[in-house]
Amino acid sequence: MAFEIISVIGLGYIGLPTAAMFAAYGKQVIGVDVNQDTVDTINRGKIHIVEPELDAIVQKAVNDGKLKAVLKPESADAFLIAVPTPFLPIENEGDIPQPDLKYIQAAAKAIAPVLKEGDLVILESTSPVGATEQMAEWLAAARADLTFPKTEDENSDIRIAHCPERVLPGHVVRELVENDRVIGGLTAKCSQQSVELYKTFVQGDCVITNARTAEMAKLTENSCRDVQIAFANELSIICDELDINVWELISLANRHPRINILQPGPGVGGHCIAVDPWFIVSKTPEQAQLIHMARKVNDAKPQWVIDKVKIAIADFLQANPDKTAKDVTIACYGLAFKPDIDDLRESPALQIAQSIAKLHSGRTFGVEPNIKSLPKYLENIELVGIDIAIEEADIHLMLVGHKEFKGKHFNAEFIIDTKGIWG
Ligand code: SAJ
């Protein structure tokens, strides 16, 4: 089966680079997105997300007539679904977040009318175990005239697989090509065809499994990282209690040939590591004890940092009895969700800076070298340069290990260092 026309549903952080890559490797690509601005931007050869190297690839693909964006699906040989899988609204505090598959359902509903015999449908969105089978059921319900994969020996009209994306934001273009892919077909034939499709540009190995294992593999990777970061975060709290430098401790322990502890921080952010473990916990709440606890440990870290700041304010006022809280300036170094990026979404550093600006009557500085201005809803945080912050602030709160902060050394009495750069 030769896949000539590829359709990618959802043109976000994963869908757009994937669509652009197929186009760069000679396929005819139809990108589908519900957002008119996104569609218009891409059709102008521009991009609406921040990702190195992607702009040039999209521009060339559009100029060459290989990539176009549309609002409604059109006929194609293969469909890749890369839509978000958010949570349902939480009803009571402490409830386990439950995944909401409404965007996958909407995508299935949208492509069903244009499916034809021989088409391949791949779910790329990170999904709870069973989502690919569920998607097949939604498609089958919409197209009674076509057969869908159910049992191994059946030769169905439509092939279906789950192939989770595993690329690191900021390195997407390289990792899309170089990373190994896990390919989980609903049948062996579905897997084989998916491998054939990805081999258009993937240089890593395409490893075949079933759909449920592929779904779990993606969740396992991000849960593993979450648990490891929780271990580091818990160590940092224990060490603070015992008056031990956690950074020195970890570097000593990591000299052991079989130990590799990750780095503590102000909490876990981003759109994946703090989300995906819940897909396991919500499915198997009785069994997923450690994964659940890791989520709680990492989610509690921002409040622990805020409490440290409150103590620092009290200590500062005790040391400076002529001043009031209004006279105290707090500088938050780093607002992004991880080092050397400009992405403020789901950022524990930003969450902490916002809380401080709210609870503190004095000035709150935000130092974020990767952005030029702060969004309007952050107007009570003053965006300043690093040198002004070092010069003028009374309490210095290090939140993100951006490269610009690493070379700076200064003496100040009140430094709270969540990243081990100045502490
Ligand atoms: N973090 C720490 N300590 C560490 C490492 C990270 O506190 O030692 C924090 C970061 O500061 C950040 C959060 O964890 O707030 C997540 O950052 P990350 O670099 O671990 O991961 P993401 O969210 O940028 O990308 C992850 C990657 N998954 C793994 O490394 C297992 C990526 O490969 C996935 O494709 C991506 O999730 C995704 O889309 O699922």
Side-chain angles (χ1 to χ4, degrees):
M1 167 86 208
F3 298 104
E4 292 310 328
I5 306 175
I6 317 291
S7 182
V8 179
I9 319 296
L11 297 172
Y13 278 83
I14 300 302
L16 181 56
T18 304
M21 212 49 101
F22 276 114
Y25 281 75
K27 300 291 182 189
Q28 206 60 46
V29 181
I30 305 168
V32 185
D33 202 283
V34 290
N35 187 310
Q36 182 76 57
D37 287 345
T38 300
V39 166
D40 294 344
T41 304
I42 294 166
N43 284 335
R44 282 199 307 271
K46 303 279 179 222
I47 61 175
H48 62 294
I49 57 174
V50 179
E51 184 58 46
E53 299 171 48
L54 183 63
D55 47 355
I57 300 174
V58 168
Q59 188 169 48
K60 182 166 185 334
V62 172
N63 288 348
D64 290 351
K66 289 286 180 192
L67 171 65
K68 70 167 181 179
V70 295
L71 284 167
K72 274 182 79 175
E74 297 174 8
S75 177
D77 304 322
F79 295 84
L80 287 92
I81 297 180
V83 295
T85 38
F87 296 129
L88 289 165
I90 302 253
E91 281 174 13
N92 304 302
E93 216 190 298
D95 282 358
I96 294 171
Q98 303 291 327
D100 185 352
L101 301 187
K102 69 177 173 202
Y103 296 118
I104 297 179
Q105 186 172 20
K109 224 171 135 184
I111 64 169
V114 297
L115 282 183
K116 61 181 186 317
E117 190 184 333
D119 283 356
L120 172 66
V121 182
I122 294 181
L123 179 61
E124 279 218 7
S125 312
T126 304
S127 305
V129 172
T132 311
E133 290 155 351
Q134 171 70 76
M135 183 185 76
E137 281 173 28
W138 283 325
L139 289 170
R143 288 296 300 269
D145 56 321
L146 293 168
T147 58
F148 290 80
K150 283 197 191 82
T151 55
E152 194 54 60
D153 47 340
E154 202 180 14
N155 201 2
S156 56
D157 294 335
I158 305 296
R159 323 255 189 249
I160 294 181
H162 180 60
C163 307
E165 60 77 16
R166 304 150 93 196
V167 288
L168 194 67
H171 302 266
V172 169
V173 170
R174 179 177 55 78
E175 289 209 353
L176 268 178
V177 174
E178 289 179 2
N179 287 5
D180 293 346
R181 290 301 291 233
V182 174
I183 311 266
L186 287 184
T187 64
K189 200 161 214 141
C190 301
S191 299
Q192 282 152 13
Q193 291 209 340
S194 306
V195 172
E196 194 186 311
L197 176 67
Y198 281 104
K199 275 295 171 192
T200 305
F201 64 81
V202 172
Q203 286 166 13
D205 292 340
C206 291
V207 189
I208 289 179
T209 181
N210 59 44
R212 293 174 78 83
T213 311
E215 287 159 347
M216 190 63 181
K218 165 74 196 206
L219 303 181
T220 300
E221 290 158 12
N222 282 350
S223 299
C224 176
R225 198 155 166 84
D226 197 43
V227 169
Q228 290 181 347
I229 298 169
F231 182 75
N233 276 333
E234 186 164 291
L235 271 183
S236 73
I237 294 170
I238 293 168
C239 285
D240 185 69
E241 198 64 29
L242 299 179
D243 204 16
I244 290 170
N245 180 325
V246 70
W247 316 101
E248 185 192 1
L249 174 85
I250 290 175
S251 77
L252 292 173
N254 281 349
R255 283 172 176 264
H256 185 288
R258 284 173 295 283
I259 300 297
N260 186 12
I261 302 169
L262 291 181
Q263 300 299 306
V268 170
H271 331 296
C272 312
I273 307 266
V275 174
D276 300 357
W278 287 119
F279 291 1
I280 298 179
V281 178
S282 64
K283 201 96 191 164
T284 50
E286 291 297 315
Q287 292 77 16
Q289 301 284 329
L290 178 65
I291 297 170
H292 193 172
M293 187 50 84
R295 273 286 71 246
K296 286 187 179 173
V297 168
N298 285 334
D299 273 355
K301 194 72 193 288
Q303 188 55 50
W304 185 84
V305 176
I306 293 164
D307 290 343
K308 285 271 157 208
V309 173
K310 286 183 190 164
I311 293 168
I313 297 171
D315 289 349
F316 180 88
L317 292 176
Q318 200 171 22
N320 299 276
D322 54 320
K323 297 204 169 175
T324 68
K326 251 185 147 55
D327 306 317
V328 181
T329 299
I330 303 171
C332 301
Y333 297 86
L335 299 173
F337 89 82
K338 66 179 196 172
D340 306 323
I341 59 165
D342 64 351
D343 195 342
L344 299 182
R345 296 170 309 157
E346 323 296 338
S347 166
L350 184 68
Q351 182 192 337
I352 291 165
Q354 276 180 290
S355 298
I356 291 170
K358 211 166 158 194
L359 69 88
H360 177 52
S361 55
R363 298 168 81 186
T364 303
F365 289 167
V367 187
E368 182 42 80
N370 297 298
I371 57 173
K372 291 195 174 68
S373 62
L374 284 176
K376 223 178 153 26
Y377 69 92
L378 296 174
E379 58 193 358
N380 51 356
I381 300 175
E382 297 173 51
L383 189 67
V384 302
I386 181 166
D387 292 326
I388 290 180
I390 289 173
E391 180 84 22
E392 293 186 17
D394 304 300
I395 296 172
H396 304 268
L397 175 60
M398 162 53 63
L399 292 169
V400 188
H402 290 315
K403 59 181 184 313
E404 291 82 355
F405 301 153
K406 287 191 174 151
K408 290 275 174 192
H409 290 288
F410 64 98
N411 280 328
E413 203 184 336
F414 294 92
I415 296 179
I416 303 165
D417 187 354
T418 71
K419 290 308 298 177
I421 288 174
W422 295 335

